[in-house]
Amino acid sequence: MAGLRVLDLATLFAGPLAATLLGDFGAEVVKVEHPRRPDPSRGHGPSKDGVGLWWKLLGRNKRTITLDLSTPDGRELLLRLAAGADVVIENFRPGTLEKWGMGPDELHAVNPQLVLARVTGFGQFGPYAGRPGFGTLAEAMSGFAAITGEPDGPPTLPPFGLADSIAALTTAYAVMTALAGRAHTGRGQVVDLAIIEPLLTVLGPQPLWYDQLGYVQPRTGNRSTNNAPRNTYRTADGHWVAVSTSAQSIAERVLRLVGRPELIEADWFASGAGRAAHADELDEAVGSWIARHDRAQVLADFEAAQAAVAPVYDVRDVLADPQYRALETVTEVPDPELGTLRMQNVLFRLSATPGGIRWAGRPHGADTDTVLAELGVPADEIARLRAAGTL
């Protein structure tokens, strides 16, 4: 994506992460933040020496400038930046850019080829459009929380930005789709991304099930309604492993491994739904065998039997795992503020045009003068704008 110019006007996670994904493969991303109210992600989570670590990941491969978009000077500069950009990503409440005189009409007047990606909780129209929207609300409204947790427990929210992250992946895909369309038409367009929608899509055919059968998926904990055994099991040395038997052949291998081949002959064992209906019996068979062996033995025996198992890792295990190391899933990035940082690498490997991390998240406004100078703004004008609070 070298040569692709992206303005990241968004805050927190969904919009900014979409811009990060574009920057990872060469796009020139300029992060625009308010002069006195930086992106709140800079203060999210743990920090070191006063520097937010989440921002180091989210802000990688971005140049950072400050600009108060609500001022006339800020509007003029943003329009000048947009005139030379390919993509603008924003997540203000619907109507905010229009109020500032920088809505789609104004942006496309200065750059008809611009792709404007608008990422909000509920979309640009509808009865909820004006509400503040966060990923947590999408995790609740999409149906995700309703099916997550133990059957007799409460709906459960994820302890990380699941909806925002899926929305970011979707936004990056939407931007690339719009750019592909531009290659045919020569014109940009508006992407309207509601965070409540992508997570609903990845939940699977729930609306279809309800429409055709009146079926509402219940909470089942770690179990599946589609197959069994499928659960986490504790080993003799106190670790946990996860077992999946989505394929019939794998289910048969697991039951032979744990010494219960007679269960394979049961009529109900021949289908995933049948096995799921007998999950108690299958969990007891698999769980009791795993409980008698330490994790290393469990993993070795499952591998030898060509059955599907994985250890339940925390981040320490991830960093030590040989498969992750072989893939270079976590890479080292030099950083002038904190030294060498280990963070997730780019999302996928391309054989001819691989992505890469050029730098980690930079300080607030670190590139303001450079970016504006490239725009043709003289030094004395930059000083005036900074004194006026626009920068």
Side-chain angles (χ1 to χ4, degrees), residues 35 50 174 296 352 391:
L391 305 181

Side-chain angles (χ1 to χ4, degrees), residues 108-391:
H108 283 143
V110 299
N111 184 354
Q113 294 188 322
L114 185 72
V115 171
L116 173 61
R118 317 192 77 173
V119 184
T120 57
F122 303 103
Q124 294 296 311
F125 56 91
Y128 303 160
R131 294 181 180 179
F134 298 98
T136 297
L137 308 187
E139 289 147 10
M141 287 183 62
S142 65
F144 172 84
I147 64 170
T148 304
E150 294 299 323
D152 57 352
T156 302
L157 297 168
F160 67 102
L162 175 64
D164 277 318
S165 299
I166 293 175
L169 290 163
T170 310
T171 300
Y173 167 60
V175 166
M176 297 308 297
T177 302
L179 290 172
R182 187 181 74 176
H184 293 288
T185 67
R187 299 190 64 83
Q189 58 184 296
V190 177
V191 173
D192 178 6
L193 193 291
I195 297 174
I196 59 172
E197 292 184 303
L199 184 55
L200 177 60
T201 295
V202 303
L203 288 177
Q206 288 190 14
L208 182 59
W209 285 338
Y210 181 74
D211 175 64
Q212 295 296 303
L213 303 172
Y215 174 74
V216 178
Q217 184 175 342
R219 284 192 293 282
T220 56
N222 290 327
R223 289 179 172 176
S224 169
T225 57
N226 301 313
N227 64 81
R230 192 263 197 182
N231 214 325
T232 57
Y233 306 94
R234 191 179 181 94
T235 63
D237 53 349
H239 294 288
W240 291 88
V241 297
V243 173
S244 175
T245 57
S246 296
Q248 180 70 22
S249 60
I250 299 294
E252 293 175 5
R253 292 171 193 167
V254 169
L255 270 296
R256 291 192 185 99
L257 171 63
V258 303
R260 298 295 301 276
E262 76 280 2
L263 293 176
I264 300 173
E265 304 305 319
D267 291 341
W268 49 263
F269 196 88
S271 71
R275 298 197 308 273
H278 290 79
D280 288 342
E281 186 174 359
L282 293 171
D283 274 346
E284 191 281 327
V286 175
S288 62
W289 183 89
I290 289 176
R292 297 193 300 270
H293 301 79
D294 63 27
R295 182 173 71 174
Q297 190 64 54
V298 169
L299 298 177
D301 288 354
F302 265 74
E303 183 175 359
Q306 297 186 37
V309 69
V312 176
Y313 278 172
D314 64 22
V315 66
R316 294 168 294 187
D317 303 308
V318 169
L319 292 175
D321 183 84
Q323 181 63 29
Y324 279 127
R325 286 186 171 183
L327 295 174
E328 298 184 2
T329 306
V330 177
T331 190
E332 292 187 348
V333 180
D335 181 72
E337 289 186 287
L338 298 177
T340 300
L341 307 174
R342 285 191 291 177
M343 66 175 64
Q344 297 94 318
N345 211 334
V346 298
L347 269 178
F348 45 84
R349 287 161 290 280
L350 295 179
S351 61
T353 55
I357 303 170
R358 303 184 294 283
W359 61 82
R362 291 173 54 72
H364 181 228
D367 303 291
T368 302
D369 289 17
T370 301
V371 171
L372 293 185
E374 292 171 355
L375 197 62
V377 182
D380 59 344
E381 178 66 4
I382 293 175
R384 182 191 73 78
L385 292 168
R386 182 166 282 117
T390 302
L391 305 181

